[in-house]
Amino acid sequence: MGSLPNESIYFEKHDIIARTRDPSGILYGPEKAARARQNPGPYYRENRECQVSDELSASKRMSDDASAEPITKEAARLFAGRIWAELDMHRRRSLAEQAGGFARRFLQERGASGRVFLTAPIGDEIDLLSVMSALSCDLFLPVIRDSSMDFVAYREGQIIVPLRPGRFQIPEPQGTHIAVPDAGDLMFVPSLACNPHRFRLGRGGGFFDRYFAEHAQAKKCQKVSAMPVELIEIHFPEQSHDVKLDE
């Protein structure tokens, strides 16, 4: 990460978390909240976002204090949504490249047996699929059916199946081979943020939470997520069904 000091990818097991701070001073303290009030961004909802910034500032200062009161998941999602919306393309590409580097090292350690499970991007989300497609490994993407989700092969060996918009317009493979991740596999779990205990914050749909609850085998895979440094260790409460990212 030496060339990208202001980006972060949340992979604690390999000890490559960048705990640096953006030189622009994006620390989300009282000064940031005051500037936000003067120039509200697209995620403001009747000044709710200012309140979120203030709550988060206190939360980050007390993240190591067991007695500190966490912010709500709703507040954390609003705050994280604004951070992601303001993330420029350079930083998005940096995160994707770092994710690709991590996956490459992960696969090298496991030889040719490792598989990568991830989600295709939609809109301006981080494009991990393009980066992972450059690696020599099988790739699996989620397919959503009603309230359930399966991972279907997108690329196995030299065979690549076409993608089409699925539920929520997320690209899904049109293949039929369903696989469940296991030990030795890598999964990039989409996350808005994570808390000090490494529990992820999703968008609230519960698809990944239910998937891991229904597939005990999948819990053995290496679960990681890419996110900017501002959204690591946000002090929100985890619940028993939440997915915990691996060390």
Side-chain angles (χ1 to χ4, degrees), residues 119-212:
T119 303
I122 182 173
D124 59 357
E125 291 180 344
I126 293 177
D127 188 0
L128 295 180
L129 183 58
S130 294
V131 174
M132 301 305 155
S133 294
L135 304 178
S136 298
C137 64
D138 294 341
L139 301 175
F140 295 81
L141 304 177
V143 172
I144 296 175
R145 302 180 179 90
D146 297 323
S147 62
S148 65
M149 182 179 77
D150 288 310
F151 278 91
V152 175
Y154 163 63
R155 184 182 72 189
E156 282 190 291
Q158 301 299 316
I159 300 175
I160 298 177
V161 302
L163 299 175
R164 65 181 176 188
R167 191 173 178 183
F168 309 117
Q169 297 302 301
I170 299 173
E172 297 178 346
Q174 297 185 49
T176 58
H177 180 201
I178 295 175
V180 177
D182 204 341
D185 294 326
L186 174 64
M187 180 184 291
F188 286 91
V189 186
S191 308
L192 292 175
C194 66
N195 72 8
H197 302 128
R198 302 192 307 278
F199 284 92
R200 68 180 279 270
L201 179 70
R203 296 184 182 276
F207 290 100
F208 279 83
D209 295 333
R210 287 192 294 273
Y211 183 82
F212 283 104

Side-chain angles (χ1 to χ4, degrees), residues 35-165:
R35 291 198 299 273
R37 291 188 181 93
Q38 297 172 1
N39 185 26
Y43 276 77
Y44 271 68
R45 299 179 182 178
E46 298 180 356
N47 291 325
R48 173 60 176 161
E49 197 71 21
C50 292
Q51 180 182 350
V52 170
S53 293
D54 289 339
E55 289 183 33
L56 186 60
S57 174
S59 171
K60 288 178 74 64
R61 288 197 303 271
M62 298 185 293
S63 62
D64 295 326
D65 183 355
S67 64
E69 182 178 353
I71 63 172
T72 64
K73 282 189 173 182
E74 177 195 17
R77 284 193 182 97
L78 286 171
F79 180 84
R82 180 164 61 83
I83 301 304
W84 280 109
E86 295 176 354
L87 205 65
D88 62 37
M89 291 308 299
H90 171 72
R91 295 190 67 189
R92 292 173 188 273
R93 285 193 297 269
S94 296
L95 282 171
E97 291 168 0
Q98 290 176 77
F102 175 84
R104 186 176 296 106
R105 292 188 294 274
F106 180 92
L107 294 168
Q108 288 173 348
E109 292 175 1
R110 286 155 181 78
S113 61
R115 303 175 296 179
V116 176
F117 294 73
L118 70 159
T119 303
I122 182 173
D124 59 357
E125 291 180 344
I126 293 177
D127 188 0
L128 295 180
L129 183 58
S130 294
V131 174
M132 301 305 155
S133 294
L135 304 178
S136 298
C137 64
D138 294 341
L139 301 175
F140 295 81
L141 304 177
V143 172
I144 296 175
R145 302 180 179 90
D146 297 323
S147 62
S148 65
M149 182 179 77
D150 288 310
F151 278 91
V152 175
Y154 163 63
R155 184 182 72 189
E156 282 190 291
Q158 301 299 316
I159 300 175
I160 298 177
V161 302
L163 299 175
R164 65 181 176 188

Side-chain angles (χ1 to χ4, degrees), residues 20-31:
T20 57
R21 290 294 183 263
D22 190 312
S24 65
I26 197 164
L27 298 180
Y28 303 101
E31 296 83 4

